[in-house]
Amino acid sequence: MPPPLPYPALHATHGGIWIAAPNGEVRGIGRGEAAARAAETPMIVLNAAVTASRLGIADFSGLDLLELFAFVHPARFAVPTPAGLARALGLAPPVDDARAPAFLIEAAQAMLGRMADREAWPEAYGAWNSAQSLARLRWPWAPAISQMLREPSRPERGLFARLPEWDEAGGRAQPRNVQLGEAETLDRLARLVGDNAEPREGQKQYAATNARAFAPRIAEGRPNLVLAEAGTGIGKTLGYLAPASLWAEQAGGAVWISTYTKALQRQLDQETRRLFPDPAVRREKVVVRKGRENYLCLLNLEDALQGGFQNRAAILAQLVARWAQYSRDGDMVGGDLPGWLPSLFRRAGSTALTDRRGECVYAGCPHYRKCFIERAARASEGADIVIANHALVMILAQRGADGGHPLGRIVFDEGHHLFEAADSTFAAALTGQEAIELRRWIIGPEAKARGRRRGLSARLSDVASYDEEGALAIEAASTAATQLPADGWLGRLGENLPLGPVERLLAAVRATVYARANAQDAGYGLETDVGEPDPMLIDAAQPAVEALEALLRPMARLKQRLAAVMEDGPDWLDGQARARIEGAIAGLTQRGQLVAAWIAMLARLGGPLDPDFVDWLAVDRIEGREIDIGLHRHWLDPARPLAETVLKPAHGVLVTSATLRDGEDWTIAEARSGAVHLDQVPRHVAVPSPFDYAARAEVLVVTDLKRGDVAQLGQAYQRLISAAGGGTLGLFTAISRLRAVHARIADRLARDGLPLYAQHVDPIDTGTLVDIFRDDPHASLLGTDALRDGVDVPGDSLRLVVMEGIPWPRPTVLHAARKAAGGGSVHDDRIVRARMRQAFGRLIRSAQDRGHFVLLGAATPSRLLDAFPGGVPVLRVTLDEAVARISGQKSTPSADFLPTHLSGITP
């Protein structure tokens, strides 16, 4: 057993603050005393960032149990609450908050005790080396750990020596043409759901129809497209995994399954265990693939460990290195790195450990053969099932089609977000931040810039020495890139002292936006359309175009020379050099397309508008502080490039969701999925939810709250959450109102034993907030759009959903253009109904769930209320009546009952 710790423990909530002496004696204290004690005495806490927030202080340098857990059990997750930590450690949770600080001491002792028996500690390997490094960094836990750890009898290999190397593999053969039969599809489904599962005819119909998406296509550019709506509870995931896995097995090909949220990616990853119970087989057959920015970059980590990070960031780097030894795939965002770990360090350094700037040197990296990113990419080439996200699938589909290797079979789950994903993927933005990133990618570090970033000349030095024309192209591109914005560009624009043609263009954009946009003093982002541009803006555009064209030409020439070098095959062109050149070609292709889009956008300024696009000028701001300036271009209908680059090259595509249609109409689903741009009619299947919504849910429209009165809004949330006893998901359309409501009610609710958490308030990532909410049936959670969709909380933890108002779309330039093209208010109504359906879908996630959906909107038009499932009671009530119904006092409402089948009638 470890010796008793000499530290007190502190537990702070909105309802009170308690401190435990080292002997376990607990007393309640005030915020002022707690802040003073925290400043002078090392204390054991659970989540120092949250504790600091509760105490109202800027920082808290205590002994954080979550950091200790990350050291003792890397690549494991624990809900970061006393009860969650207790379950992860196999301890009895504290019965209330007052006993929590004594438990924190017990938990610390338990974790330190696990290190005493090296044989019984699965994550013992590497702990000694990590502890020595952390001790040199004066990590608060290092002295206690050093008393428990024994130096291993033999030296342990470090992370970079221990990670396995990936192997090169030959190209995959073209999939065989197979036709899935209904009987074999249903047999595979039956095996996946298991013998004891309740038979669901809707799931069988859904799976059988989905199998059509995997049939051989009949003509080029005419994929087998299936639009499949499956209500909650159908078992949608297994309903498409059955035909997908069967086709992959018989055809020898890969099926890409794409999601919009990381939550569904994690769920899918879990569900595939039914397909491949053996972990070794599953690692080969199922791969989770994400964008490069999600994975740990080993070269960045090495730089951080060798002095690139200082202070708290250096401690984070050591804990991440310890995690990397046990990680399944190196995924830092939504993988097995606990989401709360980076937030403990106020994001200090976490983003610098991933490749977020496209600075990868590929085979020039000494860790290339062990790279998590490259391993995932190669594993996906031989996998049966590849789980990815919409944006990555669209990008890879476009690259594959250009290279003659399109993604042949794709399943888009959460298909109602396909339009939004395409909108962002196929957009272009000429902004200061985008331009300076391009400059850095081409030129590399300038002046006194630190870091390992290298420009084209450094990354391709061997090519330059071998190919004179390639060297000249690199030099020309580097020279042309100096015309792009440089460090300090935002400050220069604020002082009206731009340097170079692109900065002068951005200065003209800024002046135009401030002259024409509304609400300059509100502190939020500003924008204006490009109609009738100011002569100053037009004059600035032509020199910027010339500068961009001068950059595009050598980039294109360099790409040609790299391809020629690959074809020549010189003696020095080994596998690593080839991979590095291929990476440079891919980077030049991507960035060349970006520059071409910028030129096309600028060429239109002052001329007739392109009817296919929506262009506008914007100044991005956070609380009045400018963070970016530029021109933006989006497709008016992004389903067009989606159809051309993703759907048409594919052989089969399944688009599925619980909310694809608008009522019974498939028109919107076809338009937003890109089906209208194909030459054939897609197959449709709609399977209603098996849940008895009418008996298990009730919609209450509260009619007596004054719009814009934050005090009334806060009171309404407090009373509704209290009536439900917690278990409430509160959805807001504005962060400012969310924060104001949370500030008014969090303390009152906590004193009643009802903890309240909130996005944009608590220093915790969204995924962890949902985990905490799911874990405690008394907790409630406030959030914005990110919580309206993709949150799966079945059971008693979610029994009330409250929306602060009708979720009208924000009146942006882009929205105005699409509204005009989509039928005016009808377009807005479709968006609102879809959002309300998605929000209601959070409430009933299993056949046993029941609850209320409350809309705080007196002026809610009845025409929007058919967003809810047929038969669900919809009542217009006062707040008092809503509280009574939620608390179980079923008073008869004074308002009229609104049957959902009549809700299209506007009052």
Side-chain angles (χ1 to χ4, degrees), residues 836-852:
M836 290 169 66
R837 274 198 300 272
Q838 291 157 19
F840 180 86
R842 304 308 101 212
L843 186 62
I844 307 295
R845 307 299 297 175
S846 70
Q848 290 73 40
D849 287 358
R850 62 169 60 247
H852 289 83

Side-chain angles (χ1 to χ4, degrees), residues 716-724 728 800 802 854 856 879 882-883 886:
Y717 266 94
Q718 190 251 323
R719 292 184 63 193
L720 292 166
I721 293 171
S722 295
T728 301
L800 173 64
V802 183
V854 176
L856 304 177
L879 178 61
V883 168
I886 291 168

Side-chain angles (χ1 to χ4, degrees), residues 442-596:
I442 294 172
I443 297 177
E446 299 179 81
K448 298 180 181 179
R450 294 183 60 188
R452 66 168 184 83
R453 180 187 293 276
R454 292 196 289 170
L456 284 176
S457 60
R459 294 201 299 273
L460 298 173
S461 57
D462 47 4
V463 173
S465 62
Y466 172 78
D467 184 84
E468 183 178 357
E469 288 189 51
L472 292 174
I474 292 172
E475 182 180 354
S478 299
T479 301
T482 61
Q483 300 301 299
L484 296 173
D487 290 337
W489 69 274
L490 259 177
R492 289 193 293 275
L493 264 59
E495 298 172 1
N496 198 25
L497 296 172
L499 293 177
V502 178
E503 283 193 21
R504 285 192 287 272
L505 170 70
L506 296 177
V509 168
R510 181 178 184 272
T512 302
V513 171
Y514 274 101
R516 299 185 177 186
N518 296 324
Q520 286 91 336
D521 298 328
Y524 304 112
L526 303 173
E527 63 179 35
T528 184
D529 66 72
V530 296
E532 300 298 327
D534 188 280
M536 176 182 63
L537 181 60
I538 297 175
D539 291 343
Q542 186 55 40
V545 167
E546 292 172 0
L548 293 173
E549 288 176 339
L551 174 61
L552 187 60
R553 286 192 292 271
M555 289 174 66
R557 182 59 180 158
L558 177 59
K559 180 181 170 183
Q560 292 175 347
R561 295 312 308 161
L562 292 177
V565 169
M566 294 276 284
E567 188 174 340
D568 290 347
D571 294 341
W572 53 267
L573 192 66
D574 57 12
Q576 289 196 351
R578 182 176 294 273
R580 180 162 41 81
I581 293 176
E582 287 175 347
I585 291 174
L588 287 165
T589 300
Q590 175 189 350
R591 289 164 177 81
Q593 292 170 345
L594 178 66
V595 175

Side-chain angles (χ1 to χ4, degrees), residues 172-178 214 246-254 409:
R172 192 168 190 169
Q174 180 175 321
R176 295 179 292 276
N177 293 313
V178 299
F214 298 93
L246 189 62
W247 179 86
E249 179 183 299
Q250 294 184 3
R409 301 307 192 284

